[in-house]
C-alpha cells in the first residue's frame, strides 16, 4: 500500500463522516480507476433511504457498474472506510472490481459497535468471501484503523 492508497482511504473515511452527518451509519467508499482517477464515491444510505442494503460499497458498485465497462472495473480499486461485509464483498465480486483496500477491520468494527449494528452479525471476512469466488480479488487492509474509528466514536452508543 502506498501513499496514494492511504490518501484514498482517508477520503473514504471523510465520506463515512459525511454519511454520519446525513443521519446514516458512518461508512464511505470510493472507486479509483486504472489511471488513478476517482470514478465514483458513495456513502451509506441505510437510514435515509430506509434500505437495509444501502451500504456504501453496495451503493458504489451499483453506481459504478451502470457507468463503467467490465474492463475498467476489473482494473479499478474500491477503497472502503471499513472492511466490506459479506453482502458488499459479494457485490464487489459480481461487479467485477479487481481490488479492495479497506481501513477498519470487521473485527474492530464489531468491537466498536457492540450490539447496536446487528443483533445477529454476519461475521464473514471479505477475504473469505473472495477466496470462495471464481475470480481473484486482491485485498489489502486494514490500514489507518485509528483514523477510521473516528466517525464511529459515540455513534453506535446513541442508537436505541
Amino acid at each position: 500500500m502506498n501513499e496514494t492508497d492511504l490518501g484514498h482511504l482517508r477520503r473514504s473515511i471523510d465520506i463515512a463522516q459525511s454519511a454520519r452527518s446525513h443521519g446514516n451509519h458512518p461508512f464511505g467508499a470510493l472507486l479509483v480507476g486504472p489511471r488513478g482517477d476517482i470514478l465514483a464515491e458513495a456513502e451509506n444510505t441505510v437510514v435515509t433511504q430506509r434500505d437495509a442494503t444501502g451500504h456504501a460499497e453496495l451503493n458504489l458498485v451499483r453506481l459504478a457498474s451502470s457507468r463503467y465497462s467490465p474492463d475498467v472495473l476489473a482494473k479499478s480499486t474500491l477503497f472502503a472506510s471499513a472492511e466490506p461485509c459479506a453482502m458488499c464483498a459479494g457485490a464487489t465480486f459480481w461487479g467485477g472490481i479487481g481490488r479492495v483496500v479497506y481501513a477498519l477491520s470487521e473485527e474492530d468494527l464489531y468491537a466498536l459497535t457492540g450490539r447496536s449494528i446487528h443483533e445477529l452479525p454476519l461475521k464473514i471476512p471479505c477475504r473469505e468471501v473472495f477466496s470462495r469466488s471464481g475470480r481473484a480479488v486482491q485485498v489489502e487492509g486494514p490500514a489507518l484503523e485509528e483514523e477510521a474509528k473516528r466517525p464511529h466514536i459515540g455513534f453506535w452508543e446513541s442508537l436505541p
Side-chain angles (χ1 to χ4, degrees):
M1 194 172 317
N2 59 37
E3 286 302 315
T4 301
D5 287 345
L6 295 175
H8 292 312
L9 271 183
R10 286 187 175 99
R11 177 65 191 140
S12 73
I13 295 166
D14 290 343
I15 297 167
Q17 185 62 53
S18 176
R20 179 178 176 167
S21 69
H22 292 131
N24 289 295
H25 301 161
F27 299 98
L30 66 121
L31 187 69
V32 175
R35 294 189 177 113
D37 49 329
I38 295 175
L39 301 179
E41 296 183 346
E43 59 185 52
N44 182 288
T45 57
V46 166
V47 176
T48 56
Q49 296 295 316
R50 296 178 54 119
D51 178 0
T53 68
H55 292 196
E57 301 91 339
L58 191 53
N59 289 339
L60 183 77
V61 172
R62 282 184 188 125
L63 178 66
S65 64
S66 71
R67 290 185 180 172
Y68 300 102
S69 71
D71 184 56
V72 169
L73 294 173
K75 297 173 186 170
S76 296
T77 301
L78 187 155
F79 289 88
S81 62
E83 181 174 357
C85 70
M87 174 181 69
C88 292
T92 301
F93 168 77
W94 290 113
I97 295 170
R99 181 175 175 237
V100 173
V101 178
Y102 66 87
L104 185 62
S105 70
E106 176 184 64
E107 183 177 320
D108 282 352
L109 173 63
Y110 280 121
L112 280 173
T113 61
R115 63 156 186 82
S116 300
I117 190 169
H118 301 290
E119 289 297 321
L120 298 171
L122 182 59
K123 293 183 180 182
I124 304 172
C126 70
R127 281 182 174 88
E128 184 173 338
V129 173
F130 295 135
S131 74
R132 294 169 181 247
S133 69
R135 177 180 55 80
V137 177
Q138 181 184 353
V139 180
E140 295 182 48
L144 304 176
E145 285 196 282
E146 291 307 312
E147 291 178 43
K149 288 177 183 178
R150 289 185 194 134
H152 297 272
I153 294 172
F155 178 81
W156 302 103
E157 299 83 0
S158 68
L159 296 179

